[in-house]
Structure formats: C-alpha cells, structure tokens
Amino acid sequence: MSNITTNTRIRQLCFGQPQDSLTIEQVPLNSLEEDKIRVKIEATNINPSDLLSIHGVGQYRHSHQPPRVPGFEAVGQIIVSNHAEFTVGQRVVVATNGTWQKYIDVSPDNLFIIPPHLDNGYACQLYINALTAWVLTTEIAQLKQEDVLIINAGSSAIGKIFAQLSSSLGFTLIVVTSKPENYPYDSNHVIDAKVDLLTQIQQLNLPSPNIAFDAIGGKEGTELIHTIGENGRYINYGTLSLEFYQPHFFEYAKNLNIEFSTFFLRYWENAVGKDIRRKKFSMMLDHFITNGIQLDVDRCIPLEQIQDAIKLIESNSTNLHGKIILLPM
C-alpha cells in the first residue's frame, strides 16, 4: 500500500479567466474507495475543451460546474489497486475528468493499460483527439480508399492525426488550414481557409470531396458544406467558432441530399458502452504504434506553472508546434 498522504492539484473555483478562477492547492489524500484505483499522474495535457470548460463556454457551463479539478486525459502509473485486472506499477491512460493533479482515484472503466515504453507526452494524448479521430474514420464514416474527405482546422492536433490516418488507412484527404505554408505533410491536398474553398478545389483540379469533418461550425462550417457534392456526408464534431451554422446551411444540405450528423466522443461512449470503448482504444493504439502515428508535443511545463502554460496557448504571438504537457512535480 502507498504511504502518500498529500495531493497537489489545480482547483477551478469559478468560471472565468484562468488567473481569476484557478488556484493550486495541497490537499490530504483520502482513503481509497473499494471500487477505485489510485494513479500517480506522470503527464497531462491542455486541450481546447479544457479552456472552454474553464471559461464556462457553451455546453461546458452546464456539464462541468466548479468547484472542480480540470483536465480530461492523462498518463500515469498505478500505485494502489483494488482490482485484479490492474496491478501496481502498470502504466495507464486516464480517461476521465480531473486529471490536472498529482494523484487521482479512478474507476477501472476509465483506465487503459499501455506499453511501458510509450513516451509520456505521447501517451497522455491518446484519448480525446486520438480516439475521436480513430472512431470517426473507422467506425462512424468507415472511410475507404475511394472516399475523399475534406477537413477544416487542418493544422490542429486532431487535424494532424487525420492527415496521418489518410496515409495509413488509404483515403484521400483535402486539408483546409489558415496557414497552408506551414502545413507539415506532403501527402495531402492543402487549401487556404482564407480563400473560397470550392474555387481552390476547382482551380487546383482536386478530387471532389464526398464527406466532410467539421471542427468549427459557424461561417467556416457553412463554407465547408459547399465543397460537398450530391448525396455526400457531413459530420460535425466540434464548434471551435462557438457560432451556429448560417441559415442556408441546412437548405443546401437538403437540396443536395447531404447526410448531416454530429459526433461527440462522450455521447458515442455512452451509446456503445465501456467494453466497446476499450476494444476500440486497443485497436487504435495497435494501429498508431504499427504505423508510427505521431502526436506532437511543443513543450513540457510543471503543473504548478499552469498560468504560464495557458498564457502561451492563448497568446496570438506564440506559434506552438504541438501540445503543452503539464508535469506534476
């Protein structure tokens, strides 16, 4: 049994600016409940959803009420286990709320055993973006070699995963990004988000997309659907713009018989159950390791420097080349 008695964690006291709403605190560790496993967090990251939940934007104002510990994914090592399936010393991905702390007590349903050799910065990114990209491409859209997928937010973390999966799974990808000159992959078609999308596709003689993944919504999402031909598919999986589609969006979809749907990982998990989620995670991890799928890290910062980390992400002058990883010290 572990003799550790104190935990360090980030506490969100209210919605608002991080400098006003977040504090660092030392708290006693309670006795481990019978149905939980205690994990020492080795690394956790900062996702857009983390910042939205801190600011209290949209659905996050209702589903993640403070006071709370932020963070939705991490990697760590089991230090106490009450379950035969998990043993002390195993490395696990932690897929649950509250990962911005040094120790976390977790239900076994929210743990995924991983190989000991995986880098912390890589492993702590294997849940939200990675599993979303994997399920969208292989389960929801079931993309095949003849499919032409177009995505926006192409230079985002999940956009880079789609790019690599296009090579390993064999579908064609058209990437929409606001900085095409900085796009890192040569194997995909790249167009500029600041210029009319359909015009670029036609001028560059690119294949016509039959399916779109939209991470933005609003004006950008509305423009994206105009690149899809008749009987195509359009899947929204994010609302980075925090705006609704423009009024003619659904009229266009109806006129061209475009199938519109939404995908959110949490709702998918609730629908399919924990066993299917674990199976899909295992399949994803095998594919990622076999095919060398990269998950970029910009830098690692101590957990206690959370304010500096968020300032870097929210600064318009900072050009990050991957996730900022938080390390509990």
Side-chain angles (χ1 to χ4, degrees), residues 61-257:
R61 179 168 287 273
H62 306 289
S63 56
H64 299 289
Q65 284 278 337
R68 60 185 282 269
V69 177
F72 295 118
E73 62 182 339
V75 64
Q77 186 175 100
I78 295 173
I79 59 171
V80 186
S81 176
N82 291 329
H83 291 259
E85 182 183 354
F86 295 91
T87 59
V88 171
Q90 284 180 319
R91 294 187 72 227
V92 289
V93 165
V94 181
T96 191
N97 297 332
T99 58
W100 289 7
Q101 54 186 321
K102 191 168 185 177
Y103 301 99
I104 187 169
D105 295 347
V106 190
S107 163
D109 287 338
N110 294 323
L111 295 178
F112 302 89
I113 298 171
I114 60 171
H117 69 271
L118 287 185
D119 176 77
N120 281 338
Y122 184 92
C124 74
Q125 300 184 63
L126 282 171
Y127 174 56
I128 293 178
N129 286 328
L131 191 57
T132 294
W134 179 253
V135 173
L136 267 175
T137 52
T138 64
E139 181 76 12
I140 304 303
Q142 298 183 15
L143 296 179
K144 300 177 176 59
Q145 290 189 357
E146 60 267 26
D147 286 313
V148 179
L149 171 68
I150 186 169
I151 64 169
N152 51 23
S155 295
S156 65
I158 194 169
K160 292 177 180 178
I161 299 174
F162 287 132
Q164 296 173 83
L165 289 177
S166 71
S167 296
S168 61
L169 296 174
F171 59 87
T172 299
L173 181 65
I174 299 175
V175 173
V176 181
T177 175
S178 60
K179 296 182 178 179
E181 66 277 6
N182 295 332
Y183 189 72
Y185 303 106
D186 297 328
S187 57
N188 309 120
H189 305 295
V190 183
I191 58 178
D192 193 338
K194 302 181 294 295
V195 182
D196 183 77
L197 304 184
L198 187 57
T199 298
Q200 291 180 83
I201 290 173
Q202 294 170 345
Q203 290 178 344
L204 295 172
N205 197 28
L206 301 183
S208 297
N210 67 312
I211 184 167
F213 290 170
D214 171 34
I216 302 177
K219 179 183 177 181
E220 291 86 350
T222 301
E223 185 176 4
L224 189 69
I225 200 172
H226 285 87
T227 67
I228 303 298
E230 194 169 2
N231 300 317
R233 292 178 291 170
Y234 189 101
I235 302 174
N236 169 270
Y237 70 96
T239 53
L240 292 176
S241 69
L242 302 177
E243 297 176 354
F244 294 110
Y245 291 116
Q246 294 180 333
H248 60 278
F249 176 92
F250 290 103
E251 180 181 353
Y252 181 88
K254 181 179 179 181
N255 289 340
L256 272 73
N257 195 34

Side-chain angles (χ1 to χ4, degrees), residues 280-308:
K280 295 299 179 183
F281 181 92
S282 179
M283 293 172 61
M284 175 203 73
L285 185 55
D286 287 345
H287 185 90
F288 276 34
I289 292 174
T290 301
N291 292 277
I293 304 297
Q294 297 178 352
L295 304 174
D296 294 335
V297 173
D298 185 87
R299 69 192 75 181
C300 297
I301 294 178
L303 179 70
E304 289 81 356
Q305 296 177 23
I306 182 61
Q307 300 290 355
D308 293 335

